[in-house]
Amino acid sequence: MDMALHAFAYVSTASEGLEVPDLDALLADATTFNRMAGVTGVLMFDGSRFLQYIEGPRDGVASVHARILNARRHGSITELAAGDLQARWFPRWTMANRMIEPGALASIVAAPWHGFGDDPQWPGHGFALLLRAWTGGHGELEPAAVSLGS
């Protein structure tokens, strides 16, 4: 069995009329499925668009990726990057989530994405911007989770 780590990041548009209970259900389903698949990651939402990063064994990421493509709560899915990892960035979170300002999400999406590897601290790199937005400048990748919904 291939235990190499793989990651995937994408942005998508929330379905029209997505409500707080829908977000809560999405997060509960994703958390359960991701745990079974051995996948960890983060989800950011700006009120209309999602930015998600997932990581884990190649087969686990592939199964979560398939679910993402078939989900009805969002559309217009655009892959930002996919590739191999040396180690997990978010090892404890099956699906952490946070609200993000639309301008911050737009900056992350517009930045160049070249995978998740060697030097994510490169200032203009999309993944480095995601990490910076996630930590809030504190440098801690896994602070207490902030719920998107209720």
Side-chain angles (χ1 to χ4, degrees):
M1 187 163 116
D2 181 14
M3 290 305 294
L5 292 174
H6 194 73
F8 173 71
Y10 72 92
V11 63
S12 65
T13 303
S15 298
E16 197 71 33
L18 190 70
E19 304 277 336
V20 168
D22 299 320
L23 285 171
D24 291 341
L26 178 150
L27 292 167
D29 291 346
T31 298
T32 301
F33 190 86
N34 291 1
R35 185 175 292 117
M36 290 187 308
V39 170
T40 54
V42 296
L43 176 70
M44 296 183 193
F45 184 58
D46 72 357
S48 64
R49 293 197 304 168
F50 294 103
L51 173 61
Q52 185 172 15
Y53 164 81
I54 60 172
E55 61 190 12
R58 186 176 299 278
D59 59 343
V61 169
S63 63
V64 171
H65 185 219
R67 271 181 59 110
I68 289 166
L69 293 176
N70 291 314
R72 290 177 288 157
R73 293 181 178 120
H74 68 152
S76 302
I77 300 167
T78 303
E79 180 179 309
L80 298 172
D84 293 330
L85 289 179
Q86 298 290 18
R88 290 181 192 251
W89 286 97
F90 300 94
R92 296 187 303 259
W93 282 351
T94 52
M95 187 43 52
N97 55 84
R98 173 173 294 161
M99 290 295 294
I100 185 171
E101 292 295 319
L105 188 140
S107 294
I108 296 168
V109 170
W113 282 77
H114 305 292
F116 315 101
D118 304 323
D119 189 10
Q121 302 308 316
W122 181 53
H125 188 270
F127 188 60
L129 295 174
L130 179 149
L131 292 175
R132 198 166 311 119
W134 189 260
T135 63
H138 303 296
E140 184 181 353
L141 286 178
E142 296 189 345
V146 176
S147 177
L148 285 176
S150 57

